[in-house]
């Protein structure tokens, strides 16, 4: 586990916004690998086999999130507008949400957490600064720079 923990955690860190989620995912992968160890035939390197388990688990997590996002989108749409949204509208919102989270995951770690806390958990900037023990102006700067990168990347996603 010590040998491959960094590799799995590194991949998990790219997929999840918080370090806690990445750590939990890493533990899940190693638990699944331990449970499936009898199925390892040695035809590939152990690291390759472990990476495939991580990839499969990540796909399952993303599918769960996708269903939650769709459910949430439908609930919000129903409350906001009494008419039912079309399937195309729901899929468009879901795709936008996935793209946004993908782009946020590409941001430097110092930008990701403040953006997540402020925009997805609706925490005030002062509270974020206190929680992370970072100066308020630094938090503002990280969010501003992160948003600028997201705008730039977003325009490339839409054009491309």
């Amino acid at each position: 586990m010590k040998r491959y923990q960094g590799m799995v955690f590194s991949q998990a860190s790219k997929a999840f916004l918080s370090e806690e989620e990445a750590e939990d995912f890493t533990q899940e992968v190693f638990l699944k690998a331990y449970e499936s160890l009898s199925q390892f035939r040695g035809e590939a390197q152990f690291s390759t086999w472990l990476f495939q388990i991580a990839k499969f688990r990540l796909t399952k997590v993303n599918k769960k999130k996708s269903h939650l996002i769709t459910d949430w989108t439908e609930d919000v749409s129903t409350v906001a507008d009494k008419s039912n949204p079309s399937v195309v509208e729901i899929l468009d919102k879901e795709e936008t949400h996935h793209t946004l989270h993908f782009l946020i995951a590409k941001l430097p770690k110092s930008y990701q957490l403040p953006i997540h806390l402020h925009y997805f958990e609706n925490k005030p900037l002062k509270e974020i600064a206190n929680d992370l023990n970072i100066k308020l102006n630094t938090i503002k700067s990280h969010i501003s720079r992160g948003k600028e990168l997201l705008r730039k990347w977003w325009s490339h996603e839409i054009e491309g």
Side-chain angles (χ1 to χ4, degrees):
M1 185 172 159
K2 288 180 183 178
R3 186 177 198 178
Y4 300 107
Q5 183 176 352
M7 175 190 77
V8 175
F9 182 75
S10 173
Q11 293 303 312
S13 295
K14 294 175 185 174
F16 296 98
L17 291 175
S18 76
E19 191 171 317
E20 277 182 358
E21 286 180 307
E23 288 171 354
D24 290 346
F25 178 80
T26 301
Q27 287 179 348
E28 282 180 39
V29 168
F30 278 101
L31 180 60
K32 188 64 178 171
Y34 178 76
E35 291 170 352
S36 305
L37 200 53
S38 63
Q39 297 172 359
F40 177 63
R41 296 184 302 259
E43 295 171 358
Q45 289 184 353
F46 182 79
S47 59
T48 304
W49 180 73
L50 186 62
F51 185 76
Q52 289 301 318
I53 291 173
K55 189 174 165 184
F56 178 75
R57 302 292 303 164
L58 192 55
T59 301
K60 287 181 81 169
V61 168
N62 285 336
K63 283 183 181 177
K64 277 184 187 176
K65 283 184 179 180
S66 174
H67 289 296
L68 291 174
I69 292 164
T70 301
D71 293 345
W72 178 81
T73 303
E74 288 173 350
D75 290 345
V76 169
S77 297
T78 304
V79 170
D81 181 0
K82 294 297 178 191
S83 64
N84 287 328
S86 71
V87 174
V88 173
E89 290 171 326
I90 291 171
L91 290 175
D92 190 39
K93 287 180 185 178
E94 186 176 329
E95 183 179 334
T96 299
H97 185 82
H98 282 296
T99 302
L100 180 59
H101 278 283
F102 170 76
L103 293 176
I104 289 172
K106 287 176 50 176
L107 287 172
K109 294 289 181 206
S110 60
Y111 299 172
Q112 286 180 22
L113 190 55
I115 285 175
H116 177 77
L117 292 172
H118 186 63
Y119 291 104
F120 293 94
E121 295 185 19
N122 297 318
K123 287 196 174 190
L125 295 176
K126 285 184 181 179
E127 186 177 334
I128 295 169
N130 287 336
D131 290 350
L132 299 179
N133 198 25
I134 298 173
K135 293 179 182 177
L136 179 60
N137 285 339
T138 304
I139 292 295
K140 288 178 181 178
S141 175
H142 286 180
I143 289 175
S144 176
R145 290 176 185 162
K147 283 172 43 179
E148 187 57 38
L149 280 173
L150 289 172
R151 278 188 205 100
K152 182 175 138 185
W153 294 340
W154 188 266
S155 67
H156 283 54
E157 284 290 319
I158 292 173
E159 291 170 3

